Amino acid sequence: MKDAAFLTTATRHGGGLMTAAAAYPDAPKPWLDLSTGINPEPWRGPRASEEALNRLPDPAALAALEAVAAAAFGASPERTAAVAGAEAAIRLLPLLLGVRAVEVVGPTYGAHAEAWRAAGVATRLIAPDQAAASQAGVLVVVNPNNPDGRLTRRADLIAMARARSKAGRWLVADESFIECAPGDSVSDLAEPGLIVLRSFGKFYGLAGVRLGFMLAAPELIRRLRALQGDWPVGADALTLGLGAYADEAWRRRTEAALAERADRLDDLLARAGFQIIGGTSLFRMTRTPHAARWFQHLCRAGILTRPFDHTPDALRFGVPAERDFPRLRRALETFG
């Protein structure tokens, strides 16, 4: 019973190691979390000093962070605002955009539809081939898509953004995993109806820092800053973000390392009988007729993956750290 109950809980989103450990108290520790698509080998640089933690964040440090991030994104600082994770921006969008209808290209990250519905906005999921024809006040495209890695090409997003801007409509491009496909980012596009969301924690492996960015027209950015107040992010986010976004050498090395490990994971999963149906260099989406049994088997081995209620034969694996491949291999070899 506990297996079935936790399987139902785990379909909402990744993470939840404490709940997993409670459901499987005999599983080996520490748990290996492959449920979220967060880089397990994070950027390692200085955190905030004790003095910085002892005082309120400095507005000059926030401006410096936004300038460094904007440069990394190919955007301008006046179009870039820091938020406490991309999730915070998702929840704030209904307060910023007065629309009556929203369409979300899905299936995708559930928080987008949740946020608009909670605000009383008519919201529906549409298929990818319906996006270009959307007449809703806001269209949301997650690119690369979470959870399956589906990619919308940059040229198509540019065409949608320009058409929607001319019609007085918004396009929200959630680029939380765009470091896995940087050539298809539209963060540099200065289109009045375009809003881009960026995540720091996934690629840089520091999700607990809670840092993200919204890129949009300067007037919308001013309204967002007024809504958030003077201290939208904390001292650690300021320090780590400043260091990481300036470290281009680490970014290039990590892009290559993640791609290599994703290929190795594909080989490992294919040998275990999984069909690879999508993903990015941070996670791989698989299909198997035994997805529920695999999820439970891996949990008993102390390895958390991601199941789905809308696609019950799918299971998603985060790309492991180098040190964790042997443990995953052993667990895959003992399924029966």
Side-chain angles (χ1 to χ4, degrees):
M1 290 296 292
K2 69 177 183 181
D3 289 8
F6 182 59
L7 175 61
T8 300
T9 301
T11 59
R12 185 169 185 270
H13 55 64
L17 283 183
M18 292 180 67
T19 306
Y24 295 87
D26 298 326
K29 297 177 179 60
W31 276 73
L32 173 56
D33 187 1
L34 301 182
S35 67
T36 60
I38 295 167
N39 185 354
E41 297 184 357
W43 183 81
R44 301 186 185 279
R47 296 184 60 177
S49 66
E50 184 176 341
E51 291 77 11
L53 292 169
N54 188 235
R55 60 177 181 261
L56 290 169
D58 193 314
L62 177 63
L65 169 63
E66 291 173 342
V68 168
F73 304 154
S76 59
E78 62 268 21
R79 293 181 56 87
T80 307
V83 293
E87 178 82 9
I90 291 170
R91 304 293 174 170
L92 290 170
L93 278 173
L95 300 178
L96 292 168
L97 306 179
V99 299
R100 296 194 296 180
V102 172
E103 292 182 333
V104 180
V105 177
T108 192
Y109 183 54
H112 285 286
E114 284 179 6
W116 292 102
R117 286 172 179 152
V121 178
T123 304
R124 74 181 187 113
L125 295 181
I126 62 172
D129 60 4
Q130 297 175 293
S134 171
Q135 301 296 304
V138 172
L139 173 67
V140 179
V141 178
V142 180
N143 194 49
N145 191 48
N146 176 10
D148 59 12
R150 183 185 67 248
L151 195 62
T152 304
R153 307 311 312 202
R154 172 180 165 88
D156 294 331
L157 284 170
I158 290 175
M160 280 191 278
R162 289 176 175 165
R164 294 184 65 80
S165 288
K166 289 179 181 178
R169 302 187 182 103
W170 300 94
L171 172 64
V172 176
D174 182 344
E175 295 189 344
S176 290
F177 286 98
I178 199 63
E179 285 86 357
C180 301
D184 286 295
S185 174
V186 289
S187 291
D188 63 321
L189 188 63
E191 197 64 42
L194 174 66
I195 298 170
V196 179
L197 308 182
R198 298 285 297 234
S199 171
F200 173 71
K202 296 176 179 64
F203 179 75
Y204 289 93
L206 296 166
V209 172
R210 306 312 304 142
L211 175 62
F213 297 86
M214 182 186 291
L215 291 82
E219 174 56 31
L220 191 63
I221 292 298
R222 285 191 288 271
R223 288 167 52 201
L224 172 63
R225 287 175 174 150
L227 186 63
Q228 293 195 111
D230 293 329
W231 305 291
V233 299
D236 262 340
L238 292 170
T239 301
L240 289 163
L242 274 166
Y245 279 120
D247 194 345
E248 294 185 15
W250 183 91
R251 176 180 54 77
R252 289 193 296 271
R253 290 195 307 271
T254 300
E255 286 174 353
L258 284 171
E260 188 273 334
R261 296 209 308 273
D263 287 343
R264 287 174 53 200
L265 178 60
D266 282 354
D267 291 340
L268 198 62
L269 294 173
R271 288 199 299 271
F274 291 89
Q275 178 188 0
I276 311 301
I277 59 173
T280 71
S281 57
L282 281 171
F283 59 83
R284 310 305 290 162
M285 190 74 157
T286 71
R287 176 175 290 134
T288 170
H290 311 297
R293 285 181 56 215
W294 268 113
F295 175 78
Q296 293 157 358
H297 167 77
L298 291 167
C299 281
R300 288 191 287 272
I303 300 174
L304 184 60
T305 56
R306 173 76 194 281
F308 300 91
D309 53 3
H310 57 74
T311 315
D313 63 347
L315 200 63
R316 197 180 77 173
F317 291 77
V319 174
E322 186 68 33
R323 63 184 177 275
D324 292 322
F325 269 90
R327 181 177 177 183
L328 177 59
R329 182 181 296 108
R330 288 192 298 271
L332 292 173
E333 290 172 349
T334 59
F335 180 77

